[in-house]
Amino acid sequence: MEEKFAKPAIGDIVERIINGKKHIIIQERWKENGDETNGQYELPAGKIREYENAYDTVRREVFEETGLKVTKIIGEEEMVDSKDTKTISFIPFCVTQNLENAYSIICNHFICEAQGEPVSETDESRNIRWIEIKELAELLKNSKNKFFVMNINALEKYLKLNNL
């Protein structure tokens, strides 16, 4: 029997203060093989490329999926970079592992800030927009099934962190 392995990925909670209120960016999934997950709300995210630094993945995925340029990643300053062994150690905000459905993935979620204005859609996502976190809390509470499963735990933890 052939062994199969979970794929490492990065998920991004991109924050911004708009008119004095905290917002994050969300989008609707629209993947080529997305099937029943197409149309669900999700965070910018993607797989880590071979030998790619996790923080570089955050920057790349946010830009590819939203057009925004990451300016700060919470916790990046605490990264341990062992140049002699060419390894890094990092602590994401939340790690979520998919135990069934779709494909086996482990998503390391980070909180970050970015500048610029989001594009309206990409080849993987549509309706990219800022949402006030109070509105996000209501949407998640009332329509959890409309969210991509890999983002739910991280979003709930994020909302608790923000007392929602």
Side-chain angles (χ1 to χ4, degrees):
M1 182 171 100
E2 179 185 348
E3 276 189 293
K4 294 184 179 183
F5 299 93
K7 293 175 174 61
I10 297 291
D12 309 300
I13 298 173
V14 184
E15 297 181 316
R16 179 174 287 175
I17 303 297
I18 301 172
N19 298 323
K21 297 178 181 176
K22 192 177 283 188
H23 290 67
I24 69 165
I25 199 108
I26 64 167
Q27 58 198 28
E28 293 171 15
R29 282 177 68 83
W30 204 259
K31 311 286 186 194
E32 186 175 319
N33 298 317
D35 301 322
E36 72 279 352
T37 67
N38 279 343
Q40 290 183 328
Y41 300 115
E42 72 169 354
L43 299 169
K47 294 178 193 79
I48 302 171
R49 293 179 176 160
E50 186 174 30
Y51 302 116
E52 183 177 40
N53 173 316
Y55 297 101
D56 291 341
T57 304
V58 170
R59 289 180 180 86
R60 177 179 56 78
E61 286 295 336
V62 168
F63 182 76
E64 287 177 359
E65 295 194 12
T66 69
L68 299 172
K69 182 181 177 188
V70 172
T71 56
K72 179 180 180 181
I73 304 170
I74 307 301
E76 184 174 21
E77 65 281 353
E78 297 167 14
M79 173 184 68
V80 176
D81 186 349
S82 181
K83 294 181 187 339
D84 57 331
T85 60
K86 298 193 183 330
T87 61
I88 64 168
S89 297
F90 58 89
I91 301 172
F93 168 68
C94 180
V95 179
T96 304
Q97 180 180 1
N98 188 12
L99 299 176
E100 64 179 25
N101 301 322
Y103 49 89
S104 184
I105 193 165
I106 299 173
C107 191
N108 299 273
H109 291 88
F110 290 86
I111 299 173
C112 62
E113 297 173 4
Q115 64 184 23
E117 291 304 317
V119 296
S120 59
E121 68 179 59
T122 69
D123 59 347
E124 295 184 352
S125 52
R126 297 183 178 171
N127 199 14
I128 304 163
R129 65 198 180 282
W130 295 105
I131 184 171
E132 187 180 343
I133 63 170
K134 287 183 180 181
E135 182 183 344
L136 173 70
E138 284 299 311
L139 189 59
L140 190 59
K141 177 183 172 186
N142 297 323
S143 304
K144 191 180 282 191
N145 63 328
K146 292 184 179 181
F147 285 81
F148 184 54
V149 67
M150 292 304 294
N151 297 153
I152 293 171
N153 292 351
L155 287 170
E156 288 178 338
K157 181 178 178 181
Y158 177 78
L159 291 169
K160 282 182 189 174
L161 178 70
N162 285 278
N163 299 313
L164 294 173

